[in-house]
Amino acid sequence: MALPIDADAEVARALAAGRKPVRTLGFDAPRARLIAAGFQPVRLVAPRLAATPRADAIMGSAEIGPRGRRLLEALVAPARPHVPLLITQADNDQAQIFAALRELGRLGEPVPEHVHFCDLLHLDRPESHRYNAARLAQLDDWLVALGGTRPDAASLAAAETELAEQRTLLARLDRERIAGGVAGSTFLDAVAATAVLPPQEANALIAGLVDGTGAVPEGCRVLLCGTPQEGSELARAIETAGGAIVGEYHSWGLAFAQGVTTPPRVQSPRALGTRLAELVAARAPDLVLHLAIDGDEAAPWDIAAIKRALPDGTRFEALRCGSIPDRAFALSIAALLAGAEAPLPVAPAAPAPARPAGQGGQARSRKSLSSVADVNAYNREWFAAVRAQVAAGAPFALTNANTPQEILRAMDIPFVVNQWWASIVAAKQQSRRYQALLRAHDYPSDVEAYSAQGLAALFDNDAANAPWGGLPRPDFVHAVATSDPTPKLFEEWAGAADADCFVHERTIDPRPDLFADWWAQLPGHWDSVLEPERIDLMLAEMRAVIARLELATGRTFDPARFAEVMALVNEQEAYYRQTRDLVARTIPAPIGVVDSMPATMVPQWHRGTEWARDAARAFHDEVAARVDAGLSACPDERIRLMWVGRGLWSEMGFYQKWEESHGAVFVWSMYLALAADGYIRDLSGGRDPLRALASRVICMGDELRMPTWAGPWHVHEAETHSVDGVVALQDADPFVVRALRAAGFPVLELTADNFNRESEDGAAIEAAITAFVEGPARARSEQRHAKG
């Protein structure tokens, strides 16, 4: 049987032979379990497609990489055979693909008939192991429903024996490679074959390779690392250029052959550096080559740790490239093998997003509320107090916005929210300087840039320019693994700061059918509509965090104090809900987003305090007074606009550019609306406040970006706010845009984001919005007014 194996052809061969193939997306798919149940696992990899028109139409400009788009393109192809599909959470793209398929199915579009999402976790914690046991039991149920046999101890042991033999044979093949008897590309093809063929056939194939290969030409000895290579094309291009691949350490290479199933996104950069240093000592490569493929955002966060770990004198180079070698890749590799330094990344850089407004001289926003000035003044005083507390010896934590911050609040541990700090860095025009600081320490400045500003602050020795005096060095850094780079970023951050790091697992709701009206279900029924497995895991992790904080600080977590914090949060968010409803039903709107955004978000950073509750109440009372007095953001309001995406915090005046000229008011943004609907958790009936918080943390972000939830909610909000037009940033979820259009709302999609807005195309953006306001938005407004 010739290598490489064609997986699609193998599916057809398996069906013809009467076997039961199941396509697996994710190298961590439990192959032994599938084999024990009577199935033949056949891995699904991204096809080598030049274009992905179906996937692009579905996903729009959503943050899903080229590999994810090619996978989705293949999965929605009309001619694809009806073979069961198992998807894992090996990377963030795969979770997005599952969510997209689930929503497409809900909308009645053709998708694979049998799809199961097995939400396997990989952090080595007892809580994660218990969670995995529940998910594997659900996988067994699915396999039985498909006609398989429920795996038992005997069948699992038999399958594991076959796979262990496979690993032994691959180890022999690897030794042949080190000795120069097998090409590195052949080894990758052999690994791929084990994920496609029945075990006995794969084992026979590998045994033949061990016995029957000849000498490989000598050349520059290359050790590969970085993004998992699903194919051998890049390796063959390196060999064609004169390289001899003596090893690689990634999830479709030596790591897979050794039975390692830890996804790159949760693989420790330090542990990876240590493993590569061992391989360098054992294999004596001339070059360690790190490839970040197809826009992989996790791999670049390994580079600093790898460079620290490699022995002195080891040559290390890093490239960014596509999964298929092109002329630029060939030229780069030729230069590297000849001894030149790494050229610039060969992958074409994404075009800079257009800037929504012109450079410099931006008009300041006009605020209608005095309470906004009050909260901004408080924020400065608070941050100065935090710096003073830390200088006096208090412990200090840095957390991402979606973590259970209320634990820190209840334990009186000062903390700063990472995304708030990034907004301060941007507002003080320090983002470029901070990006340079990251690059100087071998960290990427263009991957997870917004969340990396706190790490950059560790290296900021310029006291004169440090925003607000600078960010204190944290003792604790906390995050949820909601993106592929997050665990690596926070591990590196903790190492640089000598801080304790805790990254919560990100779990995915795998149910094929989900309720859409989450805003009505979650506040009062959170403990019955969400999966107990997900709540239980987060609750256990939160208790682990509490134990670590108590041990490190000597402070005690008081459940009664925590209950008070949660009650204050509910009061605060209830005021936001009342305020949101006032804005929705009042025409003309009493305020626009230039008031609602800061009036909401500044107190949200202080959630669980009396000050934040009182600030939310003052905000509501001032808006209610404006309603009673007949005051409005724009007395001549004719068009009501919705803003979808992150806010333009450093350019708030942008939102008011069309008020005087067109009577167009931005009345909605996600900040007030999500505060109104996403945070409240009813604690009546003796319900556990800690469990309630866990139920909120596992959902954060789903409300805005999970297709089955985000689309219906935005439509509901557009309808209740009498919206005439929607302006969406490029980070807007494509299913949100799709749902809004299907509901009859005109949508203008911008090619701009809220952080990297460096082009001079602000005039074009403003012209596009003007045309949108004068055209589709005005037409819908006229229809709305005609209906009364």
Side-chain angles (χ1 to χ4, degrees):
M1 188 174 290
L3 291 177
I5 304 297
D6 185 320
D8 287 336
E10 177 57 25
V11 168
R13 191 171 74 95
L15 290 171
R19 297 194 294 268
K20 294 193 287 288
V22 57
R23 300 306 298 261
T24 61
L25 179 51
F27 57 83
D28 57 340
R31 291 195 299 150
R33 205 168 204 91
L34 298 174
I35 294 167
F39 290 87
Q40 178 185 338
V42 180
R43 74 167 185 170
L44 175 67
V45 300
R48 284 16 185 181
L49 301 174
T52 54
R54 297 184 189 89
D56 293 343
I58 293 168
M59 301 307 296
S61 57
E63 296 175 357
I64 181 170
R67 171 182 170 272
R69 289 176 184 271
R70 294 199 301 270
L71 284 165
L72 185 58
E73 184 76 16
L75 288 170
V76 297
R80 191 157 198 91
H82 294 293
V83 175
L85 172 65
L86 174 64
I87 305 176
T88 71
Q89 200 197 159
D91 59 56
N92 192 52
D93 278 359
Q94 293 181 190
Q96 287 184 279
I97 289 169
F98 168 71
L101 292 175
R102 178 172 56 189
E103 180 64 1
L104 290 170
R106 188 181 74 88
L107 296 173
E109 300 197 16
V111 294
E113 184 177 0
H114 300 291
V115 179
H116 183 80
F117 189 84
C118 190
D119 191 27
L120 293 179
L121 307 178
H122 295 275
L123 295 179
D124 189 13
R125 298 173 184 160
E127 305 87 5
S128 298
H129 298 323
R130 288 195 296 270
Y131 182 86
N132 284 348
R135 294 309 190 196
L136 289 172
Q138 293 168 356
L139 172 61
D140 291 347
D141 292 339
W142 182 66
L143 295 173
V144 170
L146 291 174
T149 303
R150 189 174 299 277
D152 57 20
S155 61
L156 284 169
E160 290 287 4
T161 298
E162 288 185 314
L163 296 182
E165 179 186 352
Q166 205 167 84
R167 290 191 289 272
T168 299
L169 288 167
L170 285 170
R172 288 177 56 192
L173 190 65
D174 181 46
R175 289 193 293 271
E176 286 293 318
R177 171 174 61 169
I178 297 172
V182 173
S185 57
T186 301
F187 182 83
L188 289 177
D189 285 338
V191 170
T194 66
V196 172
L197 297 174
Q200 291 182 347
E201 291 188 21
N203 293 352
L205 175 64
I206 299 169
L209 291 172
V210 171
D211 297 333
T213 53
V216 174
E218 294 184 1
C220 176
R221 295 169 63 83
V222 180
L223 176 63
L224 294 175
C225 58
T227 304
Q229 295 180 41
E230 295 178 324
S232 59
E233 297 93 343
L234 294 174
R236 292 187 188 282
I238 293 170
E239 291 165 347
T240 299
I245 298 171
V246 297
E248 70 292 303
Y249 202 74
H250 58 68
S251 300
W252 280 120
L254 186 59
F256 184 86
Q258 294 174 343
V260 177
T261 58
T262 303
R265 68 185 185 86
V266 297
Q267 189 174 55
S268 162
R270 284 174 292 175
L272 176 60
T274 299
R275 181 66 182 121
L276 285 170
E278 295 170 350
L279 290 172
V280 167
R283 306 190 180 208
D286 301 311
L287 170 66
V288 177
L289 179 59
H290 182 281
L291 298 179
I293 303 170
D294 282 344
D296 180 3
E297 294 189 337
W301 282 100
D302 289 325
I303 290 174
I306 293 172
K307 294 178 74 170
R308 291 195 304 267
L310 292 178
D312 290 343
T314 303
R315 186 177 174 216
F316 175 88
E317 301 289 353
L319 287 176
R320 297 186 185 182
C321 60
S323 54
I324 299 298
D326 55 12
R327 184 172 183 274
F329 181 80
L331 291 173
S332 297
I333 292 300
L336 288 175
L337 297 182
E341 293 185 358
L344 294 174
V346 302
R355 185 181 176 88
Q359 298 274 358
Q362 295 135 6
R364 296 178 62 87
S365 61
R366 305 179 306 278
K367 302 293 194 300
S368 300
L369 304 180
S370 62
S371 54
V372 172
D374 295 340
V375 299
N376 287 333
Y378 175 85
N379 223 28
R380 281 187 170 275
E381 296 171 2
W382 159 78
F383 187 70
V386 166
R387 285 174 47 84
Q389 287 176 282
V390 176
F396 175 61
L398 199 295
T399 77
N400 262 3
N402 57 350
T403 59
Q405 304 156 22
E406 286 80 357
I407 291 172
L408 298 166
R409 184 81 64 205
M411 297 181 71
D412 294 321
I413 296 174
F415 67 91
V416 161
V417 176
N418 189 23
Q419 285 69 28
W420 171 80
W421 172 252
S423 72
I424 298 300
V425 172
K428 295 300 178 182
Q429 306 296 312
Q430 296 297 303
S431 298
R432 284 182 178 271
R433 187 168 69 87
Y434 272 33
Q435 289 172 330
L437 290 172
L438 290 169
R439 290 192 296 271
H441 289 81
D442 293 317
Y443 296 118
S445 62
D446 58 346
V447 177
E448 205 79 355
Y450 203 66
S451 296
Q453 301 302 294
L455 172 60
L458 284 177
F459 313 126
D460 187 2
N461 298 316
D462 186 350
N465 286 309
W468 288 19
L471 184 69
R473 181 177 294 265
D475 301 295
F476 309 96
V477 289
H478 294 168
V480 179
T482 47
S483 73
D484 291 342
T486 295
K488 297 177 181 292
L489 163 59
F490 272 74
E491 180 186 311
E492 287 296 289
W493 195 343
D498 193 23
D500 181 67
C501 176
F502 195 96
V503 176
H504 295 268
E505 296 270 25
R506 180 210 185 190
T507 60
I508 305 296
D509 194 323
R511 292 176 289 184
D513 298 311
L514 282 181
F515 55 94
D517 60 337
W518 63 264
W519 61 92
Q521 300 284 346
L522 289 182
H525 308 290
W526 54 268
D527 50 351
S528 60
V529 298
L530 295 174
E531 285 190 304
E533 294 88 351
R534 299 179 68 205
I535 299 178
D536 290 344
L537 171 66
M538 181 56 67
L539 179 61
E541 289 186 334
M542 287 163 52
R543 286 175 173 156
V545 168
I546 290 170
R548 287 166 70 156
L549 291 171
E550 288 182 327
L551 182 63
T553 67
R555 304 186 182 196
T556 301
F557 178 80
D558 180 359
R561 167 64 180 143
F562 178 75
E564 292 175 359
V565 168
M566 289 296 290
L568 284 168
V569 172
N570 277 343
E571 288 183 60
Q572 177 180 344
E573 312 305 325
Y575 281 119
Y576 289 139
R577 175 166 277 200
Q578 295 174 41
T579 307
R580 186 274 311 272
D581 293 347
L582 274 175
V583 175
R585 66 174 178 258
T586 305
I587 299 175
I591 59 170
V593 298
V594 295
D595 284 298
S596 65
M597 285 168 56
T600 302
M601 285 314 298
V602 174
Q604 282 289 69
W605 304 132
H606 304 277
R607 213 167 43 245
T609 66
E610 292 184 0
W611 176 85
R613 185 269 319 273
D614 293 344
R617 178 168 55 197
F619 173 37
H620 166 267
D621 291 350
E622 191 170 4
V623 173
R626 289 179 63 82
V627 172
D628 292 342
L631 299 176
S632 60
C634 176
D636 189 32
E637 176 188 294
R638 300 188 297 279
I639 298 171
R640 294 166 70 91
L641 299 174
M642 169 184 261
W643 178 264
V644 176
R646 298 182 180 97
L648 305 180
W649 291 99
S650 61
E651 201 171 349
M652 295 290 284
F654 176 81
Y655 292 114
Q656 295 176 318
K657 288 180 179 290
W658 295 270
E659 289 184 359
E660 291 187 8
S661 60
H662 295 78
V665 183
F666 280 98
V667 300
W668 191 94
S669 78
M670 65 179 178
Y671 297 100
L672 177 58
L674 186 59
D677 288 337
Y679 287 79
I680 296 173
R681 291 295 186 269
D682 186 354
L683 301 175
S684 63
R687 286 187 271 190
D688 179 7
L690 203 60
R691 189 173 181 82
L693 178 58
S695 80
R696 192 186 77 211
V697 174
I698 65 173
C699 294
M700 290 191 72
D702 287 352
E703 305 96 334
L704 298 173
R705 292 180 177 84
M706 185 170 70
T708 306
W709 279 9
W713 180 60
H714 280 81
V715 170
H716 170 77
E717 289 294 292
E719 291 173 344
T720 56
H721 282 74
S722 300
V723 163
D724 300 309
V726 180
V727 179
L729 279 180
Q730 68 176 16
D731 68 349
D733 184 89
F735 285 95
V736 168
V737 173
R738 178 178 179 150
L740 287 164
R741 284 181 171 145
F745 294 98
V747 180
L748 172 65
E749 295 182 82
L750 301 180
T751 57
D753 67 21
N754 75 323
F755 184 64
N756 291 307
R757 295 178 289 109
E758 303 299 337
S759 83
E760 296 286 350
D761 205 18
I765 293 291
E766 292 182 21
I769 295 179
T770 299
F772 176 73
V773 167
E774 292 176 349
R778 174 178 290 171
R780 182 176 173 91
S781 170
E782 291 171 351
Q783 293 174 2
R784 174 170 60 85
H785 285 91
K787 294 178 181 178

